[in-house]
Amino acid sequence: MKIAIDGPSGAGKSTIAKLLAKKTGMLYLDTGAMYRALALKTYKTNTSIDDISAIEKILDSTQIEIDNSVVPMRIYLDGEDVSEAIREHHISALASAVSALKPVREKLVELQRYIAAKSDCILDGRDIGTHVLPDAEIKIFLVASVEERAKRRYEELRVKGCDCEYETIKQDIIIRDYNDMNRQISPLKKADDAIEIDSTFMTVEEVASEIERLIAKEKR
Ligand code: DC
């Protein structure tokens, strides 16, 4: 069984997907982490995302590896564990920009499909239900109000000791939503056969239970 969870940033996709993976034993792949790893590489190498031939060279020479044998999964960039580094605030906007590039999407989608083909799995991202796994048995489009998403991200960053502003985070989310929804290739969009869940007033457990009900129904 394949489960696709798509939606805008901060809607709770990865939290829900991780919990479901734990409950069901299914493999979980955070596809956003892959775009983030590549964004980190462009940052480290000082590569402009407008320089497509340089980006293509990076794609050819970069190794992105996912270790799903540990929870939470670890991501390696050219052998280095970058699981924390890719979550830095400045990488989020860069990941959104990098993810709009055609060669980047082609390469990472291929890798995502290769990983997903191996077992039952839950993938979260922006284009899983529409493009990466169009035949997924369960497709969820997880949304929440921008205020709630900004609040969640703000609290998450504060816990990590980040001295950030709620308003800045909210504006960053608005810009990222716009970019992710309006890019030319595989924009963030609800698949026609996806079920929309609005998590604004729901707990993580409530959202997970709703998806578990769908899994049980699918298995019948
Ligand atoms: O889910 P995230 O915030 O970690 O994703 C980082 C960026 O990567 C996001 O702004 C859009 C992009 N992304 C994408 O285009 N397609 C995916 N399947 C996953 C993420």
Side-chain angles (χ1 to χ4, degrees):
M1 180 183 288
K2 312 284 181 216
I3 302 178
I5 305 182
D6 290 301
S9 45
K13 301 183 296 294
S14 65
T15 308
I16 299 297
K18 266 184 237 161
L19 181 61
L20 283 173
K22 197 170 158 201
K23 287 183 168 190
T24 60
M26 290 169 84
L27 180 142
Y28 163 54
L29 180 61
D30 170 1
T31 63
M34 299 164 95
Y35 292 97
R36 285 172 178 271
L38 207 67
L40 181 63
K41 175 87 179 224
T42 62
Y43 179 75
K44 281 183 162 185
T45 53
N46 219 352
T47 305
S48 158
I49 62 151
D50 297 325
D51 186 347
I52 288 295
S53 71
I55 295 283
E56 279 172 340
K57 275 197 199 109
I58 284 188
L59 282 168
D60 286 341
S61 61
T62 300
Q63 267 212 316
I64 295 175
E65 284 156 310
I66 309 281
D67 182 1
N68 275 306
S69 66
V70 290
V71 179
M73 71 169 220
R74 310 297 296 177
I75 182 153
Y76 295 85
L77 177 67
D78 299 325
E80 183 193 346
D81 186 344
V82 293
S83 313
E84 274 81 39
I86 59 166
R87 302 287 159 202
E88 300 259 335
H89 190 57
H90 62 283
I91 298 299
S92 301
L94 198 54
S96 179
V98 161
S99 74
L101 305 174
K102 188 163 179 250
V104 170
R105 298 208 74 82
E106 282 173 357
K107 167 115 182 192
L108 294 190
V109 167
E110 189 186 313
L111 188 54
Q112 289 156 19
R113 287 183 178 148
Y114 173 76
I115 295 171
K118 292 184 193 167
S119 61
D120 286 351
C121 56
I122 306 169
L123 267 65
D124 82 13
R126 304 291 188 288
D127 61 339
I128 310 302
T130 53
H131 184 63
V132 181
L133 302 175
D135 297 329
E137 285 85 351
I138 296 175
K139 296 183 184 179
I140 305 295
F141 196 70
L142 191 61
V143 299
S145 72
V146 70
E147 288 75 18
E148 177 62 21
R149 290 186 285 130
K151 187 175 133 236
R152 289 176 192 167
R153 194 51 52 96
Y154 173 74
E155 281 162 5
E156 203 179 293
L157 290 169
R158 293 292 289 207
V159 168
K160 286 184 187 164
C162 176
D163 182 23
C164 44
E165 302 247 333
Y166 167 83
E167 244 340 286
T168 314
I169 292 174
K170 186 176 154 192
Q171 288 313 316
D172 286 351
I173 286 182
I174 291 171
I175 294 168
R176 205 138 72 88
D177 282 356
Y178 180 85
N179 291 339
D180 293 344
M181 288 190 287
N182 291 284
R183 66 172 177 236
Q184 280 195 326
I185 315 158
S186 307
L188 167 64
K189 181 171 163 277
K190 177 176 173 285
D192 293 339
D193 50 352
I195 292 165
E196 182 165 322
I197 300 178
D198 184 339
S199 73
T200 307
F201 302 108
M202 290 173 85
T203 64
V204 169
E205 271 300 334
E206 283 169 338
V207 176
S209 300
E210 196 160 325
I211 301 175
E212 279 180 294
R213 269 197 298 278
L214 295 169
I215 299 173
K217 201 168 135 201
E218 183 63 34
K219 282 185 175 163
R220 258 187 254 131

